[in-house]
Amino acid sequence: MRDRPPADVLGTLLRHVRITTSTFGRIELGAPWGAKLGPRDTVSLHHLLEGEMWLELDGRDVHVGRRDLLILPHGTPYTLRHRPGAPVEDEARWRTPPVPGALSVRRRHGGDGARTVVLCAELGVEGAARAMLMRALPAVMRFPASGSGEPVPGIDRLLDVLREEVREARSGAPLIAARLAELLLLRAVREELERPAAAGSWRAALTDDRVARALDAIYGAPERPWSVVTLARTAGMSRTAFAQRFRDLVGESPFAHLTRWRMEVAKTTLRDHPGRTLGEIASSVGYADEFAFGTAFRRVVGIPPGAYRTAAERPEPPS
């Protein structure tokens, strides 16, 4: 069993993500069937209740069996079929108008052949750590059912209760189902990120005792006046050795990573707290004044913080 870092970097980051929307669907499919799903801003979840299906993503086919769980975090297009090579329809032809106040939709598509039943969910994910975590995840996370034990500890119990809430739609079911989906996603992300990672990746840095201490400090207290020297001291290393090891593992300098994280926190605050002044936000992410903050924000994000807030507040045009 591999050693774990004393700093809980992943735990610190997970406090900076939240599920904002959750929609569910119980889809019954009869062979032959196939659906091409387009790009989206949500994380897609598919839990196979009956039968089997095939996922096509990035030119490869992945078999999905009964009780397997699929999570697709990047919102990239993919295809689901009853067998590889089967004809597909665009998902727009499968859509039905949502029922106001309903927790889920129930749909039936395809032919009269072998039946496949899938519990689907679309999860909106927001927060300062969203971009960083999504970049660290693969295009698809597949957690196969196992007779000898759960692929993710506790995931079967969560799925059982989630299926029950969606099926029975009792009072408070939308809120409970959303919280269950959040727990399900967070456990799956934790399981994925605790797997061995390639050297030179941010994921590999999570298992390095010394760099992990510095990352936990950055993510947990971006408002502190960190420098390479103070971060190196936190990591228990010399300045030169720390800066080189950090760059080797994370892929950028400590200061560049600190700045990027501060801007992610600032973007979330600008969106979620319109009453906070730019000076207050600047102070909360470690800048002495609004001017220094604005300069850094524009350099990293591409627009001034005030313009970013205005764009975030502007309602999207109707489709």
Side-chain angles (χ1 to χ4, degrees):
M1 185 174 179
R2 62 179 174 83
D3 294 333
R4 295 191 180 190
D8 186 9
V9 183
L10 184 56
T12 301
L13 276 179
L14 291 179
R15 289 194 290 271
H16 288 273
V17 295
R18 64 186 184 279
I19 305 299
T20 56
T21 58
S22 303
T23 58
F24 302 91
R26 185 180 185 276
I27 315 299
E28 295 186 11
L29 303 154
W33 64 270
K36 183 177 182 180
L37 296 100
R40 57 201 66 220
D41 294 327
T42 53
V43 174
S44 299
L45 179 152
H46 300 291
H47 177 46
L48 195 58
L49 304 179
E50 295 183 32
E52 63 177 351
M53 65 181 182
W54 290 82
L55 165 75
E56 182 186 339
L57 180 69
D58 296 333
R60 62 189 181 100
D61 290 316
V62 178
H63 179 257
V64 186
R66 183 176 178 272
R67 294 186 69 84
D68 287 0
L69 173 67
L70 289 180
I71 298 178
L72 298 105
H74 296 166
T76 52
Y78 61 97
T79 298
L80 297 173
R81 294 181 170 97
H82 77 283
R83 60 171 174 79
V88 298
E89 292 183 310
D90 188 87
E91 68 172 315
R93 298 190 61 180
W94 288 30
R95 289 177 183 163
T96 55
V99 178
L103 172 62
S104 66
V105 296
R106 294 172 182 265
R107 301 173 187 161
R108 175 70 168 80
H109 298 287
D112 298 324
R115 192 170 80 141
T116 299
V117 181
V118 190
L119 175 64
C120 304
E122 295 291 336
L123 311 178
V125 181
E126 291 186 2
R130 181 189 187 280
M132 190 174 298
L133 288 172
M134 292 300 115
R135 281 195 299 268
L137 297 175
V140 58
M141 295 184 287
R142 176 175 173 266
F143 300 97
S146 170
S148 59
E150 298 171 290
V152 178
I155 208 168
D156 282 352
R157 296 192 300 275
L158 285 172
L159 286 167
D160 286 342
V161 180
L162 178 59
R163 286 193 299 268
E164 180 181 339
E165 290 294 333
V166 173
R167 181 176 64 250
E168 297 187 2
R170 296 171 58 191
S171 176
L175 177 61
I176 294 172
R179 294 295 181 267
L180 289 167
E182 183 172 20
L183 284 172
L184 181 65
L185 180 60
L186 292 181
R187 283 205 173 195
V189 168
R190 181 179 64 183
E191 182 73 13
E192 176 64 34
L193 293 182
E194 286 183 343
R195 292 173 175 172
S201 68
W202 173 80
R203 289 176 60 166
L206 300 181
T207 65
D208 183 277
D209 270 4
R210 294 169 295 181
V211 172
R213 293 192 200 107
L215 288 173
D216 197 44
I218 288 171
Y219 302 147
E223 76 283 358
R224 291 188 60 181
W226 296 113
S227 66
V228 176
V229 171
T230 56
L231 288 171
R233 189 177 302 129
T234 299
M237 302 175 68
S238 71
R239 181 188 185 282
T240 302
F242 167 72
Q244 185 60 55
R245 185 153 186 80
F246 192 100
R247 183 181 288 276
D248 289 344
L249 288 176
V250 180
E252 60 186 349
S253 71
F255 190 75
H257 196 72
L258 170 64
T259 302
R260 187 148 61 89
W261 173 244
R262 284 172 166 171
M263 295 307 106
E264 291 295 340
V265 174
K267 284 160 60 178
T268 299
T269 308
L270 286 164
R271 289 193 302 266
D272 295 350
H273 300 282
R276 297 193 68 179
T277 67
L278 294 184
E280 290 171 336
I281 296 173
S283 178
S284 73
V285 292
Y287 288 88
D289 57 65
E290 185 178 324
F291 178 78
F293 166 64
T295 300
F297 190 96
R298 183 166 191 164
R299 184 179 71 252
V300 175
V301 181
I303 58 175
Y308 182 89
R309 168 176 274 170
T310 300
E313 293 173 347
R314 187 181 300 126
E316 294 183 2
S319 56

